[in-house]
Amino acid sequence: MDAVLSTIWSPLRDTAPMALFFILLAVIVKRAAILEAMRRVRREATTNVLLFAINSMIVAPLVAIPFLTITGIVDGERWFAGFWAGVPGVVVLLVTILLIDLVAYWRHRLEHHPALWRYHATHHADTAIHWLSVHRKHPVGKALSMLVDLLLVLALGLPVWAIVLAGVIRTWWGTFIHADVPWTLGPLGKVLISPAAHRLHHIRDEALMGTNYGNTVTLWDRLFGTYVDPAPYIDCETGIEEGTRGLLGELARPWEKRYRADATLAGEAGAA
């Protein structure tokens, strides 16, 4: 269980190598334009780093107790541990990634419903999307993903090593697809979510924003009809109509009048 819990802390643990890798990537890709790129993202990047610090150092510890309670209830090791022991490790890891992505896909898709959008809008607010945009998450949204995304693999008794390794892979890939690079990844992009495909998900267009929900693979978007080829939308404008905010503005965003009204209408529609 300690190993599973460590997946909560993996983004914090991986911060230094991630920062080095993606800063070097930005320098290589941007070259002479790197200083202008840094100036453009400076304000939003500061907000993202502060949200990351809050989510890692305050939200994660607070969520740990209910997370452990839930994992104790849905722990599938008692029933399935023997089954996975007989499956090749590569297959176990692939299944783990796919199943976590499946749950995260539906959690993410539900976050675009008006009832939850008020908490998810923060993540779409960056007008200059970059690798730190992956950390632009409202604490409520961060807590939701931490509590939900691992439920299926825990219920099915997937081994701890596979859950931890899948978490590391998904964290790195999730950061990569937020990088400001116009890459579709060619044929590989048909299988894996590319930076261009995820940028399309962040487009400043509410209709197209409801596409490409996946974190790692395109499988679930293709299966459920939400995948859109990003090729026609390379370097599209990102952000939301309500605009970006600083730290306090993003923390308060869900309780702004517009979002409260949308959530109320969504609740009334659901009740009807």
Side-chain angles (χ1 to χ4, degrees):
M1 188 54 67
D2 289 342
V4 176
L5 187 58
S6 74
T7 61
I8 295 176
W9 294 97
S10 61
L12 186 60
R13 183 184 63 233
D14 294 340
T15 299
M18 276 189 176
L20 178 60
F21 176 84
F22 285 104
I23 288 171
L24 287 175
L25 178 64
V27 170
I28 293 170
V29 173
K30 301 294 183 183
R31 298 185 182 181
I34 186 63
L35 293 180
E36 171 58 24
M38 291 174 63
R39 184 200 64 78
R40 189 172 66 252
V41 307
R42 179 182 59 81
R43 180 170 175 268
E44 292 178 333
T46 300
T47 299
N48 300 348
V49 169
L50 292 173
L51 284 169
F52 170 67
I54 291 171
N55 288 332
S56 298
M57 293 185 283
I58 298 176
V59 176
L62 289 175
V63 171
I65 293 176
F67 176 81
L68 288 172
T69 301
I70 292 172
T71 57
I73 295 172
V74 301
D75 186 4
E77 290 186 42
R78 290 167 289 178
W79 301 285
F80 296 102
F83 172 79
W84 296 114
V87 178
V90 173
V91 175
V92 172
L93 178 60
L94 179 59
V95 169
T96 304
I97 292 173
L98 290 176
L99 292 181
I100 295 175
D101 254 36
L102 172 61
V103 176
Y105 169 89
W106 282 108
R107 182 263 305 158
H108 189 182
R109 190 165 172 176
L110 287 172
E111 285 178 321
H112 281 249
H113 185 276
L116 291 178
W117 172 251
R118 61 194 297 186
Y119 305 111
H120 188 60
T122 289
H123 183 64
H124 281 259
D126 271 352
T127 57
I129 192 170
H130 55 288
W131 69 274
L132 283 168
S133 298
V134 72
H135 298 303
R136 192 183 189 93
K137 296 179 180 178
H138 192 277
V140 175
K142 178 64 176 179
L144 179 63
S145 66
M146 290 173 63
L147 289 171
V148 169
D149 289 4
L150 298 183
L151 289 182
L152 183 57
V153 291
L154 290 170
L156 293 177
L158 272 299
V160 168
W161 70 263
I163 296 174
V164 172
L165 184 53
V168 172
I169 292 171
R170 292 183 74 259
T171 296
W172 275 85
W173 196 262
T175 305
F176 170 62
I177 63 175
H178 284 86
D180 183 22
V181 290
W183 299 343
T184 63
L185 303 184
L188 189 61
K190 303 295 184 182
V191 178
L192 298 176
I193 293 291
S194 66
H198 193 70
R199 186 184 183 98
L200 176 57
H201 177 73
H202 281 260
I203 193 172
R204 190 169 175 175
D205 179 309
E206 291 189 9
L208 287 170
M209 202 179 283
T211 62
N212 300 350
Y213 290 103
N215 175 89
T216 311
V217 297
T218 63
L219 173 63
W220 306 119
D221 280 292
R222 292 182 183 279
L223 186 62
F224 298 116
T226 53
Y227 181 77
V228 171
D229 184 352
Y233 306 97
I234 299 297
D235 289 328
C236 59
E237 181 182 4
T238 65
I240 53 179
E241 180 183 348
E242 307 89 276
T244 189
R245 307 273 194 276
L247 175 65
L248 295 180
E250 291 299 350
L251 292 175
R253 183 190 288 274
W255 293 278
E256 292 177 5
K257 183 177 180 180
R258 168 192 169 117
Y259 294 105
R260 286 190 285 108
D262 287 348
T264 299
L265 290 173
E268 291 174 351

